[in-house]
Amino acid sequence: MPAMMKMCELLEMEHLDKGKEIAIGNRDKKSIFFLKKGAVKILNSTHNTTKYVVKKGNIFGELSLYDEQAAAMEKAITLEESIICYIQSDMMEELMEKHKSLKNGVFKVYGLRIKKLERRLEDLLYKDSKTRIADFIYAYVKEFGEDKLDRIEAKNLLSHKDIANLTNTSRQTVNNVLSTLRKEKRIDYNTREIAIFKPMLEE
Amino acid sequence: MPAMMKMCELLEMEHLDKGKEIAIGNRDKKSIFFLKKGAVKILNSTHNTTKYVVKKGNIFGELSLYDEQAAAMEKAITLEESIICYIQSDMMEELMEKHKSLKNGVFKVYGLRIKKLERRLEDLLYKDSKTRIADFIYAYVKEFGEDKLDRIEAKNLLSHKDIANLTNTSRQTVNNVLSTLRKEKRIDYNTREIAIFKPMLEE
DNA sequence: TTGAGATGTACTTCAAACGACACTTTAAAA
DNA sequence: TTTTAAAGTGTCGTTTGAAGTACATCTCAA
């Protein structure tokens, strides 16, 4: 979203340590957030289960634009030191009316979210839990990681519980799959980082 | 979507028998559809699994607006005699630029779809299959049904296989739950219709 | 009338959740 | 700094929900 990125220069900015909560829906006014640096996870605020992971350069809280109630159901927690910009949703609406590219950008974000959700639901029907977890790890490292000679390395920002939530599995199964992949030399990980080995990269 | 409904008067209209397929993504031009009468189910076109049920007065194929590829993955099948109106997605885009209320309406539809998907995913995590099926039946009858003295009656438009897809369960489990609910006098159904008994209406 | 699809029921199987516990890391308190 | 508690990780058995298999109706278009 380049338009959003440019806009961000003009906005209120906030610097947050790791593990800080951002109450998407509980502010005096609902806001849309733009993640300038770092990473956050979006939780279901009633069950405290992780629903998404958002990478720097992306927006979150966008649901509050047309459904305040839905936005109130989610909260964000920083997974590492992060910088966010935010704008109140009614101001954002005004801006979107003026700048079509902005509105279309948000439209795309909504569409993408639908696509991801449907994909996840479909996977639940057609893939077993081990595959879902392995697929998730590969996708996560590819999205969040950096390309090295023989491997792709990403910061290990998620707990096994988070991964279990994101793949609709249990913490123990996640651990089991990760350990197995490690034994098979397909991935490696420690508390800091997680890496996938390139020669093993299929798909 | 009142704006859409008014617009519909001006559009191409098509009358379809029960069981007819509408290729959302395979037309020469992608279109948005407005269901004027009847009901359709939206399928995942690769797996032929039912993803949604759309009731008269609602739109479908709206994904093609900002993601043609995603729309190509779905197809619709009429569940009963239906009337649809449709407009090519690029024409719809033009119209939406002119009429803000239309664009905002589509935004709402997207948001609603996200909400439903997230709800479904959440249910998968927190409800067992029997509960999901029962909840679905109650929601379906309430949405599609007509209020009678002691019961709410809806046309029985979905096969057990459809319901299984919609609740991420198996055909046999659906049958099992339905039979049990019938034995318990909480619901009643035959090939034509399905009804829930009001005194039993909780929630 | 006939055959394909839908429904109903029972039994078997198995993936994956769950419970239990030891060990490790992290972060805050003393 | 050291201590301590909380959270996260690693590995087990055990249990069980629900899918799968199998087959007998039933329904309804062609």
Side-chain angles (χ1 to χ4, degrees):
Chain A
M1 291 208 51
M4 186 84 188
M5 189 132 36
K6 214 168 70 191
M7 189 187 76
C8 190
E9 307 298 320
L10 315 163
L11 299 182
E12 205 76 41
M13 195 182 289
E14 210 166 301
H15 195 115
L16 292 160
D17 287 340
K18 179 181 170 178
K20 288 288 168 273
E21 183 177 327
I22 305 158
I24 294 181
N26 291 349
R27 309 218 157 196
D28 34 348
K29 278 283 179 183
K30 320 290 178 196
S31 302
I32 318 297
F33 300 85
F34 180 76
L35 186 58
K36 216 171 154 57
K37 188 187 152 220
V40 303
K41 58 179 174 182
I42 310 296
L43 308 188
N44 174 321
S45 57
T46 54
H47 294 289
N48 263 4
T49 47
T50 303
K51 294 198 298 179
Y52 309 94
V53 183
V54 178
K55 192 188 156 182
K56 94 173 168 198
N58 292 299
I59 69 174
F60 60 97
E62 74 279 3
L63 241 46
S64 68
L65 274 173
Y66 288 89
D67 189 346
E68 304 222 348
Q69 191 195 345
M73 300 288 297
E74 48 186 35
K75 66 181 181 191
I77 290 185
T78 50
L79 292 168
E80 57 181 342
E81 211 190 333
S82 301
I83 297 173
I84 56 170
C85 304
Y86 53 89
I87 177 173
Q88 290 182 4
S89 61
D90 45 10
M91 265 187 60
M92 179 73 178
E93 271 186 76
E94 274 175 45
L95 266 183
M96 286 191 344
E97 294 305 336
K98 280 198 206 105
H99 305 280
K100 280 179 188 165
S101 71
L102 199 59
K103 196 162 186 173
N104 290 342
V106 175
F107 237 121
K108 281 228 176 73
V109 171
Y110 269 54
L112 202 67
R113 191 154 166 178
I114 290 175
K115 215 162 148 184
K116 274 194 181 172
L117 282 164
E118 293 203 342
R119 177 70 189 278
R120 234 169 103 179
L121 223 28
E122 199 189 312
D123 284 355
L124 233 31
L125 212 49
Y126 294 106
K127 293 181 180 169
D128 65 14
S129 60
K130 290 167 214 305
T131 311
R132 292 202 306 276
I133 294 165
D135 286 357
F136 174 82
I137 295 300
Y138 276 75
Y140 169 79
V141 174
K142 280 182 201 166
E143 186 182 345
F144 285 81
E146 248 180 274
D147 227 331
K148 303 277 164 157
L149 275 165
D150 57 333
R151 41 195 256 157
I152 306 175
E153 277 176 17
K155 282 187 204 162
N156 192 351
L157 299 171
L158 299 168
S159 74
H160 293 186
K161 190 168 155 293
D162 288 328
I163 299 171
N165 290 158
L166 290 161
T167 55
N168 281 54
T169 59
S170 73
R171 194 223 102 210
Q172 291 92 325
T173 303
V174 170
N175 182 275
N176 182 2
V177 171
L178 290 194
S179 310
T180 305
L181 288 174
R182 177 152 67 179
K183 272 176 206 142
E184 292 169 352
K185 307 267 183 225
R186 310 225 293 132
I187 69 169
D188 194 19
Y189 64 97
N190 56 42
T191 15
R192 295 221 159 60
E193 67 177 27
I194 178 163
I196 56 184
F197 294 116
K198 274 194 196 167
M200 301 302 176
L201 254 177
E202 64 256 88
E203 184 244 352
Chain B
M1 291 212 51
M4 185 85 188
M5 189 133 35
K6 216 169 66 190
M7 190 187 76
C8 189
E9 307 298 321
L10 314 164
L11 298 184
E12 206 74 40
M13 196 182 290
E14 210 166 302
H15 196 114
L16 293 161
D17 287 340
K18 178 180 169 179
K20 288 289 169 271
E21 183 177 327
I22 305 158
I24 295 180
N26 292 349
R27 308 217 157 199
D28 34 348
K29 277 285 179 184
K30 321 289 178 197
S31 301
I32 317 298
F33 300 85
F34 180 75
L35 187 59
K36 215 171 156 59
K37 187 185 153 224
V40 302
K41 59 179 174 182
I42 310 296
L43 307 188
N44 173 321
S45 56
T46 54
H47 294 289
N48 264 7
T49 47
T50 303
K51 295 199 299 182
Y52 310 95
V53 183
V54 178
K55 193 187 156 184
K56 96 173 166 197
N58 291 301
I59 69 173
F60 60 97
E62 75 279 3
L63 242 45
S64 68
L65 274 173
Y66 288 91
D67 189 347
E68 302 222 347
Q69 191 197 343
M73 300 289 298
E74 47 185 37
K75 67 181 180 193
I77 290 185
T78 51
L79 291 168
E80 57 181 342
E81 212 192 331
S82 302
I83 297 174
I84 56 170
C85 304
Y86 53 89
I87 177 173
Q88 290 181 3
S89 60
D90 44 11
M91 266 186 60
M92 180 72 179
E93 269 186 79
E94 273 175 45
L95 267 181
M96 288 188 350
E97 293 305 336
K98 279 197 205 103
H99 305 281
K100 279 180 189 167
S101 70
L102 199 59
K103 194 162 188 172
N104 289 342
V106 176
F107 238 121
K108 281 227 177 71
V109 171
Y110 269 54
L112 203 65
R113 191 154 166 180
I114 291 175
K115 216 162 147 183
K116 274 196 180 168
L117 281 165
E118 293 203 343
R119 179 70 189 279
R120 236 171 101 179
L121 223 27
E122 198 187 313
D123 284 354
L124 234 29
L125 212 49
Y126 292 104
K127 293 179 181 169
D128 64 15
S129 59
K130 289 165 215 307
T131 311
R132 291 201 307 274
I133 294 164
D135 287 357
F136 174 82
I137 295 300
Y138 277 74
Y140 169 79
V141 174
K142 281 183 202 163
E143 185 182 347
F144 285 81
E146 248 180 274
D147 228 330
K148 303 277 162 155
L149 277 164
D150 57 331
R151 42 194 255 156
I152 306 176
E153 276 175 19
K155 283 187 205 159
N156 193 351
L157 300 172
L158 299 169
S159 73
H160 293 186
K161 191 170 154 291
D162 287 329
I163 300 171
N165 290 158
L166 290 161
T167 55
N168 282 54
T169 60
S170 73
R171 193 223 102 208
Q172 292 90 328
T173 304
V174 169
N175 182 274
N176 182 3
V177 171
L178 290 195
S179 313
T180 306
L181 288 173
R182 177 153 65 180
K183 272 176 207 142
E184 291 169 354
K185 305 264 183 231
R186 309 223 295 130
I187 70 171
D188 195 18
Y189 64 98
N190 57 40
T191 13
R192 296 223 157 58
E193 66 178 29
I194 177 162
I196 56 184
F197 295 116
K198 274 196 197 164
M200 302 300 178
L201 254 177
E202 63 257 87
E203 182 240 353

